[in-house]
Amino acid sequence: MKEIVTRGYKVKIYPTEEQTNKINQTFGCVRLIWNYSLMERLEIYNIFKDYPELYKSHKYKLQRDWKIYFPFLSEVDSQALNTTQQELKSSFNNFFKKTHNLPIYKSKKNQRNSYTTHTTNNNIRIEGEHIKIPKIGYIKLKKKRRALPCDSVIKAATISITATGKYFISLRIEYEQEIPILNENFTRSIGLDFSLNSFYVDSMGKKANYPMYLHKSEKKLKKLQKKLSKKVKNSNSYNNLRQQIAKHHEKVRNQRNDFHHKQSRYLVKNHDIITIETLDLKAMSQNKYFSKKVIDIGYHQFASYLSYKCHDAGKLFHKVNKYYASSKICSVCGSKKKTLPLSMRVYTCECGNVIDRDINAAINICVEGIKIFFNKEDRTTSLA
Ligand SMILES: [Zn+2]
């Protein structure tokens, strides 16, 4: 079975000094158009917030309107400005749908910056060691890089700078791919239950090999951040330390990313059905040992890697329903406890089952995955 897939492709770039200036100018213009448009929309919103029809009748300013006030906007990629205007619009729409807060201003002090541009008439393309970008020209790409899949089409590009001053380009690519069909007689299933200490425990009772170096790096990062909070803001030593933290942060992010790729690759290679829990952040925050943010960042990235790697290999990936009480159900007899405090690390059931709490949950999650698989109707939805 062939189908079109959309994927991300990120690679380091080495712009010349002139290109760097142009990129930074674009960051500035994108920020300017965001902040001015936001200011205007907030004013309109404050006047008409009780009259939605009147609010709607005030159309967004077009790019050419802004260019009258700020002629230098014409010097940068108009697609990048366009993307920003679209993003602001959808931010307001999300606010009206009550799924998000009001959008906020972008600060010049933010060291991480980016802008996104979309392809029109093949104007973004890789030629040899370079990538062509509108208004910037041919930027040198990192030599050692993955090849793009055959016949992939570049739909959009995001140029970004990290807090440590490195430039990257992230491409959104589309290509056609052969998806293998899963053999029903050969279905190795596994369930994962997430925890902070070992990242996850699987239904075979095995813990993810969360690397020691990553533990160490995360610990060091915390220490540095604590040190920073004691420094005088904007002093020399404050700024030095901040730079140091940014570097270390980047290192941790890369290490975590590598680990997620490696671990998900291993799981997908060795299993046919992979089922994970849906993290309930509210419940987790009750646990004082849980750093909500740490597990949150890791979980979402890891889940997305599992999802697309399973998809590409023709395997199945599910997230169990958020309300499925994986930890309260006995994995042997199926009876369900009314409550199970987080401090209780061992699950004990009247049927005689005594088992580690996380392993019990992982087994339940695994069984749910198999149930979903045999209910064929769910198969297509689970791939979405
Ligand atoms: Zn039982």
Side-chain angles (χ1 to χ4, degrees):
M1 186 177 62
K2 275 200 167 181
E3 67 177 78
I4 304 267
V5 292
T6 304
R7 292 286 180 264
Y9 179 93
K10 189 173 177 180
V11 61
K12 200 171 173 190
I13 49 172
Y14 301 92
T16 62
E17 199 185 329
E18 196 187 332
Q19 289 172 332
T20 304
N21 291 337
K22 198 81 194 176
I23 291 172
N24 291 342
Q25 187 191 357
T26 315
F27 290 153
C29 288
V30 159
R31 184 172 54 234
L32 180 140
I33 209 156
W34 172 277
N35 285 344
Y36 273 90
S37 306
L38 175 59
M39 187 167 71
E40 190 194 45
R41 295 315 291 183
L42 285 176
E43 270 172 26
I44 297 171
Y45 170 72
N46 283 327
I47 298 169
F48 298 113
K49 60 179 149 194
D50 298 323
Y51 312 97
E53 289 311 313
L54 279 175
Y55 172 84
K56 266 188 228 158
S57 71
H58 282 77
K59 298 279 176 244
Y60 278 75
K61 260 203 184 80
L62 298 172
Q63 215 178 99
R64 62 164 181 266
D65 303 325
W66 288 115
K67 281 177 179 167
I68 296 169
Y69 299 104
F70 308 106
F72 54 84
L73 289 175
S74 304
E75 294 168 21
V76 303
D77 185 355
S78 62
Q79 275 292 328
L81 302 176
N82 197 18
T83 309
T84 309
Q85 288 179 298
Q86 294 307 325
E87 280 168 1
L88 183 71
K89 245 187 212 176
S90 61
S91 294
F92 266 100
N93 287 341
N94 288 338
F95 167 69
F96 293 128
K97 274 189 252 160
K98 296 194 165 68
T99 55
H100 288 71
N101 292 332
L102 267 174
I104 55 170
Y105 291 105
K106 291 192 196 295
S107 163
K108 209 174 176 175
K109 279 190 187 153
N110 191 356
Q111 294 164 300
R112 288 167 72 185
N113 261 312
S114 70
Y115 76 83
T116 299
T117 178
H118 289 83
T119 310
T120 45
N121 299 325
N122 198 26
N123 61 350
I124 303 172
R125 59 180 184 272
I126 293 179
E127 286 183 21
E129 296 304 313
H130 295 81
I131 183 156
K132 186 171 182 291
I133 297 295
K135 293 267 185 180
I136 311 281
Y138 291 87
I139 310 179
K140 207 172 150 208
L141 289 163
K142 187 183 173 184
K143 261 214 169 103
K144 256 180 97 182
R145 58 173 199 271
R146 277 184 301 141
L148 280 185
C150 263
D151 299 322
S152 49
V153 180
I154 299 172
K155 304 301 267 187
T158 299
I159 295 177
S160 59
I161 180 172
T162 66
T164 55
K166 292 180 190 129
Y167 287 87
F168 285 89
I169 192 157
S170 309
L171 303 176
R172 183 153 58 77
I173 54 172
E174 267 184 21
Y175 55 95
E176 204 176 38
Q177 181 176 251
E178 182 74 41
I179 307 287
I181 302 283
L182 181 62
N183 179 353
E184 285 179 35
N185 304 320
F186 197 66
T187 47
R188 299 161 297 173
S189 182
I190 196 163
L192 310 181
D193 181 72
F194 286 82
S195 71
L196 188 62
N197 290 332
S198 56
F199 192 50
Y200 68 74
V201 176
D202 71 31
S203 45
M204 312 292 279
K206 230 173 103 186
K207 287 178 177 174
N209 246 334
Y210 200 72
M212 213 40 222
Y213 60 78
L214 204 41
H215 267 305
K216 272 187 196 153
S217 298
E218 280 165 353
K219 231 178 176 174
K220 190 181 164 194
L221 188 62
K222 250 188 216 157
K223 244 188 209 163
L224 288 172
Q225 269 156 349
K226 205 171 166 192
K227 221 166 139 189
L228 186 72
S229 63
K230 288 176 190 151
K231 296 251 184 238
V232 180
K233 235 181 168 175
N234 287 324
S235 65
N236 268 344
S237 62
Y238 175 90
N239 288 334
N240 280 339
L241 190 60
R242 219 179 129 197
Q243 194 61 31
Q244 214 182 316
I245 289 176
K247 258 191 193 155
H248 194 69
H249 205 85
E250 208 167 279
K251 186 179 154 192
V252 173
R253 216 172 17 234
N254 289 340
Q255 286 178 333
R256 199 186 287 136
N257 193 32
D258 282 349
F259 168 67
H260 288 164
H261 270 305
K262 229 167 117 190
Q263 201 71 17
S264 54
R265 215 179 295 134
Y266 167 80
L267 284 167
V268 174
K269 195 178 160 205
N270 292 290
H271 301 91
D272 305 311
I273 305 175
I274 299 173
T275 313
I276 67 169
E277 66 171 328
T278 303
L279 277 194
D280 184 357
L281 291 176
K282 238 187 194 164
M284 282 192 339
S285 59
Q286 292 164 2
N287 184 338
K288 63 178 174 173
Y289 297 109
F290 250 125
S291 162
K292 212 167 130 183
K293 218 176 158 188
V294 170
I295 192 102
D296 189 32
I297 295 167
Y299 169 81
H300 289 291
Q301 187 180 57
F302 187 65
S304 84
Y305 288 177
L306 275 177
S307 170
Y308 88 77
K309 285 189 168 111
C310 275
H311 179 258
D312 286 2
K315 311 261 172 114
L316 297 174
F317 172 75
H318 309 291
K319 278 186 190 175
V320 294
N321 189 306
K322 190 169 141 188
Y323 301 104
Y324 177 66
S326 59
S327 45
K328 288 182 194 148
I329 295 168
C330 171
S331 57
V332 173
C333 71
S335 68
K336 187 175 159 187
K337 284 189 194 298
K338 279 210 174 80
T339 54
L340 184 69
L342 275 164
S343 56
M344 206 105 102
R345 301 311 305 164
V346 174
Y347 188 98
T348 331
C349 179
E350 283 170 5
C351 74
N353 184 19
V354 180
I355 185 171
D356 175 276
R357 173 207 178 98
D358 296 335
I359 299 174
N360 181 61
I363 294 172
N364 287 329
I365 290 165
C366 173
V367 173
E368 269 300 293
I370 297 171
K371 276 188 201 160
I372 297 170
F373 174 63
F374 283 106
N375 180 4
K376 283 284 147 38
E377 276 172 28
D378 285 35
R379 183 167 174 184
T380 43
T381 53
S382 66
L383 288 175

